């Protein structure tokens, strides 16, 4: 890494070779589009979005070497060279024995929990991402979040707000019995809790609890490289280690990894399930053959495996990670300076607006985060995503149970937008914040029984 100390500007560590035009719309158009979409940004056609911050998943720009890899991919049904390259890369980083490719993260979750989940089982995690929770619950098991207290307070500034609450983890194991816990999960970084990192010490402590009760530890590793870089920046003893060395140590405490390569694999599709347990790996591979494909492609084309292998080389590059973490922080810092309430400190892949402080007058039952999401689209064609009462709120005996956090996530696709795009985002968010008193709550007009946020429809109250 060559960075002269007298230079303060963080620049994109790449130049642009291919461009994709984005379409401008006016406020009148967007009013119509939003109402047609039932006030759900998932239901807006992408071509009507100017800056798409819906997700950082599968939206990365691939490098010229990745595109070259697509042509070079080996499309053999069995024993593809591209699989072996991918397998070697994943093994180098994780040290895990069995590398099972899947078409994305939730496919790995589905296979794993179909086998280890089921009625009466309990799966603790720092915070389950929505698909992880859905796959645990779909198997009949119970998903329990054990997030540390700091992580539940958006305004608290702490280095590792993604950490597992070790006492709560242990209490959960004692409450339900170790025999009923097929594995403990740890999500790095903690997406639903604000893209906040987990410290190495916390991973180590989680491992120690697992050892005490004879439990497996599976890492939900979607953003492992961003987590590794936060450890380098913030945790004593890691400043001189490379992101690869840090990632290797993180994985050394795990018995397995579920991965969506659509995040820190820098690809548009792909993932894996990696395991040390030979017997479990056999069961998972057999299910993989039924649901995804042969174990050397797992629902992917050979070219996708090639792109993942190359993406994993690039994700641990320190210049890339420096730019990634600093540019996300730039968006957060600017919003914070302008008085926009955000979850602090800025996360790795996204900035989260704190809807409870943004719109204190609108109760969570009226979906304040969804209302802000609509306003961002209406005012600037920006697509964000609600991570609050729509995604995680529920009713028990007719009573609304609000989630701990009510957030709007501005997820930053990797290597896609430049600083001027981000400056535009800052301007639009500020504009929405300035006119926050005009924003109204919403009411659901349709909801699906599971993962309702994807297809829900609303109307303004
Ligand atoms: N685990 C975490 C922590 C995630 O963030 C995601 C996906 C998954 C698992 C599932 O992976 O999408 O490849 O099936 N998160 C995306 C997001 C969708 O927008 O945060 P997948």
């Amino acid at each position: 890494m060559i960075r002269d100390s007298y230079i303060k500007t963080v620049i994109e560590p790449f130049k642009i070779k291919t461009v994709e035009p984005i379409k401008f719309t006016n406020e009148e158009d967007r009013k119509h589009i939003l109402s047609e979409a039932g006030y759900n940004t998932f239901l807006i056609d992408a071509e009507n979005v100017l800056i798409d911050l819906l997700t950082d998943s599968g939206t990365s720009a691939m490098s010229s070497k990745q595109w070259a890899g697509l042509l070079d991919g080996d499309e053999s049904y069995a024993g593809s060279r591209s699989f072996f390259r991918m397998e070697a890369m994943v093994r180098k980083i994780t040290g895990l024995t069995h590398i099972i490719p899947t078409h994305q993260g939730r496919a790995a979750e589905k296979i794993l929990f179909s086998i280890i989940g089921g009625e009466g089982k309990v799966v603790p995690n720092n915070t389950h991402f929505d698909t992880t929770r859905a796959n645990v619950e779909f198997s009949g098991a119970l998903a329990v979040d054990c997030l540390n207290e700091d992580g539940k307070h958006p305004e608290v500034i702490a280095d590792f707000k993604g950490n597992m609450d070790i006492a709560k983890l242990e209490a959960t194991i004692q409450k339900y019995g170790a025999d009923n816990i097929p594995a403990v999960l740890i999500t790095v970084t903690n997406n639903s809790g604000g893209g906040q990192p987990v410290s190495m010490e916390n991973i180590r402590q989680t491992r120690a609890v697992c050892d005490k009760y004879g439990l497996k530890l599976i890492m939900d590793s979607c953003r492992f490289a961003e987590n590794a870089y936060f450890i380098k920046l913030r945790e004593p003893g890691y400043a001189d280690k490379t992101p690869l060395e840090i990632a290797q140590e993180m994985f050394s405490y795990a018995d397995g990894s579920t991965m969506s390569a659509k995040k820190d694999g820098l690809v548009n599709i792909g993932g894996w399930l990696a395991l040390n347990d030979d017997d479990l790996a056999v069961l998972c591979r057999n299910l993989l053959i039924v649901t995804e494909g042969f174990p050397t492609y797992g629902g992917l084309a050979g070219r996708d495996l090639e792109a993942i292998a190359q993406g994993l080389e690039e994700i641990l590059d320190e210049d890339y990670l420096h730019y990634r973490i600093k540019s996300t922080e730039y968006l957060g810092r600017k919003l914070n300076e302008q008085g926009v309430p955000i979850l602090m400190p800025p996360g790795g892949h996204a900035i989260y607006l704190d809807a409870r402080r943004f719109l204190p007058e609108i109760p969570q039952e009226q979906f304040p985060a969804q209302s802000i999401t609509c306003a961002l689209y209406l005012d600037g064609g920006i697509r964000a995503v609600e991570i609050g009462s729509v995604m995680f709120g529920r009713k028990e005996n007719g009573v609304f149970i609000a989630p701990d956090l009510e957030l709007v996530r501005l997820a930053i696709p990797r290597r896609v937008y430049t600083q001027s795009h981000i400056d535009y985002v800052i301007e639009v968010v500020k504009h929405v914040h300035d006119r926050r008193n005009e924003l109204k709550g919403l009411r659901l007009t349709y909801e699906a029984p599971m993962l309702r946020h994807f297809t829900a429809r609303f109307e303004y109250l």
Side-chain angles (χ1 to χ4, degrees):
M1 183 178 35
I2 301 161
R3 236 180 352 254
D4 300 304
S5 59
Y6 51 87
I7 300 290
K8 293 280 171 280
T9 308
V10 177
I11 64 167
E12 288 81 7
F14 49 79
K15 51 187 180 173
I16 297 166
K17 190 173 238 170
T18 308
V19 296
E20 183 182 351
I22 48 180
K23 186 174 115 186
F24 289 82
T25 49
N26 62 36
E27 200 183 336
E28 246 350 271
D29 300 333
R30 293 193 296 268
K31 232 180 219 162
H32 176 71
I33 293 164
L34 193 59
S35 124
E36 288 287 300
Y39 300 93
N40 183 347
T41 49
F42 277 106
L43 303 179
I44 296 173
D45 292 351
E47 73 160 2
N48 290 323
V49 174
L50 186 65
I51 308 268
D52 204 344
L53 307 183
L54 184 74
T55 179
D56 63 318
S57 179
T59 52
S60 300
M62 292 210 294
S63 67
S64 50
K65 281 195 177 158
Q66 284 178 295
W67 283 106
L70 292 195
L71 209 58
D72 204 32
D74 176 357
E75 302 304 338
S76 305
Y77 190 98
S80 155
R81 169 177 38 80
S82 300
F83 167 71
F84 293 122
R85 187 179 167 208
M86 177 265 194
E87 182 190 44
M89 248 340 266
V90 177
R91 205 173 273 149
K92 175 175 160 191
I93 296 168
T94 66
L96 294 163
T97 313
H98 302 281
I99 314 299
I100 302 170
T102 61
H103 79 273
Q104 60 183 89
R106 72 197 70 180
E109 295 166 353
K110 174 76 170 73
I111 288 171
L112 181 66
F113 294 114
S114 297
I115 291 168
I116 68 169
E119 291 293 335
K121 299 283 168 60
V122 179
V123 179
N125 196 336
N126 46 349
T127 310
H128 289 83
F129 180 65
D130 59 354
T131 62
T132 322
R133 172 174 288 278
N135 275 304
V136 169
E137 290 176 350
F138 191 70
S139 81
L142 179 69
V144 178
D145 289 343
C146 301
L147 185 62
N148 77 94
E149 193 56 35
D150 283 348
K152 295 179 192 162
H153 302 282
E155 65 289 354
V156 170
I157 297 186
D159 285 342
F160 293 103
K161 289 176 76 175
N163 279 355
M164 183 85 80
D165 180 333
I166 300 294
K168 180 160 184 204
L169 171 63
E170 203 162 352
T172 303
I173 297 169
Q174 285 171 357
K175 178 171 171 192
Y176 294 102
D179 288 349
N180 296 318
I181 299 189
V184 172
L185 260 62
I186 190 158
T187 306
V188 298
T189 58
N190 185 26
N191 182 11
S192 308
Q196 300 292 316
V198 177
S199 71
M200 194 72 86
E201 189 191 9
N202 189 254
I203 299 173
R204 230 179 274 128
Q205 290 167 338
T206 304
R207 172 78 258 169
V209 172
C210 290
D211 285 343
K212 182 169 167 191
Y213 294 93
L215 301 177
K216 282 192 173 49
L217 178 60
I218 307 284
M219 199 171 279
D220 179 343
S221 31
C222 299
R223 300 176 180 86
F224 73 94
E226 291 170 7
N227 200 92
Y229 198 66
F230 276 119
I231 289 176
K232 182 178 169 76
L233 293 178
R234 297 180 182 172
E235 192 161 348
Y238 289 93
D240 296 329
K241 294 210 187 318
T242 65
L244 173 63
E245 288 165 342
I246 298 171
Q248 285 168 332
E249 186 184 338
M250 285 165 56
F251 282 110
S252 74
Y253 302 115
D255 302 294
S257 147
T258 54
M259 174 73 181
S260 169
K262 300 172 75 172
K263 286 86 170 170
D264 275 354
L266 284 172
V267 290
N268 306 119
I269 197 75
W272 69 70
L273 171 62
L275 296 165
N276 276 343
D277 182 327
D278 298 338
D279 297 336
L280 181 58
V282 170
L283 295 173
C284 290
R285 279 210 181 92
N286 287 343
L287 186 54
L288 181 88
I289 295 174
V290 180
T291 59
E292 289 276 293
F294 192 72
T296 60
Y297 73 85
L300 294 166
R303 54 181 171 271
D304 299 324
L305 296 163
E306 198 67 36
I308 294 172
Q310 181 59 35
L312 291 172
E313 301 261 3
E314 295 171 13
I315 199 73
L316 288 163
D317 176 75
E318 206 164 320
D319 287 327
Y320 164 76
L321 284 170
H322 177 77
Y323 141 80
R324 173 70 175 163
I325 299 304
K326 290 291 166 192
S327 58
T328 304
E329 181 191 299
Y330 172 85
L331 170 59
R333 184 162 38 82
K334 291 279 170 182
L335 291 176
N336 192 38
E337 279 167 13
Q338 309 214 32
V340 177
I342 65 163
L343 190 152
M344 290 294 281
H349 68 295
I351 292 301
Y352 297 68
L353 307 178
D354 181 2
R356 276 204 296 226
R357 282 184 294 147
F358 200 115
L359 293 179
E361 307 299 326
I362 301 184
Q364 274 178 279
E365 202 168 352
Q366 295 176 12
F367 309 120
Q370 188 70 18
S371 177
I372 295 168
T373 305
C374 290
L376 291 173
Y377 181 72
L378 202 59
D379 290 6
I382 295 170
R383 172 152 71 173
V385 70
E386 195 260 16
I387 300 194
S389 297
V390 179
M391 198 179 271
F392 293 121
R394 60 185 202 284
K395 285 217 161 134
E396 273 176 21
N397 304 323
V399 180
F400 174 76
I401 315 277
D404 288 337
L405 298 172
E406 186 74 25
L407 306 171
V408 175
R409 184 182 73 172
L410 306 170
I412 323 281
R414 293 170 182 75
R415 306 190 294 206
V416 171
Y417 294 116
T418 62
Q419 186 168 342
S420 60
H421 290 114
I422 297 300
D423 284 333
Y424 172 88
V425 172
I426 293 163
E427 192 176 338
V428 173
V429 176
K430 170 83 169 51
H431 180 72
V432 171
H433 188 244
D434 287 346
R435 68 173 197 90
R436 60 191 178 278
N437 293 336
E438 298 164 24
L439 269 48
K440 291 189 294 232
L442 295 145
R443 156 173 57 223
L444 278 160
T445 59
Y446 166 74
E447 65 177 304
M450 279 183 97
L451 298 177
R452 66 177 180 183
H453 51 285
F454 288 122
T455 52
R457 300 185 71 88
F458 303 85
E459 62 189 12
Y460 280 118
L461 284 161

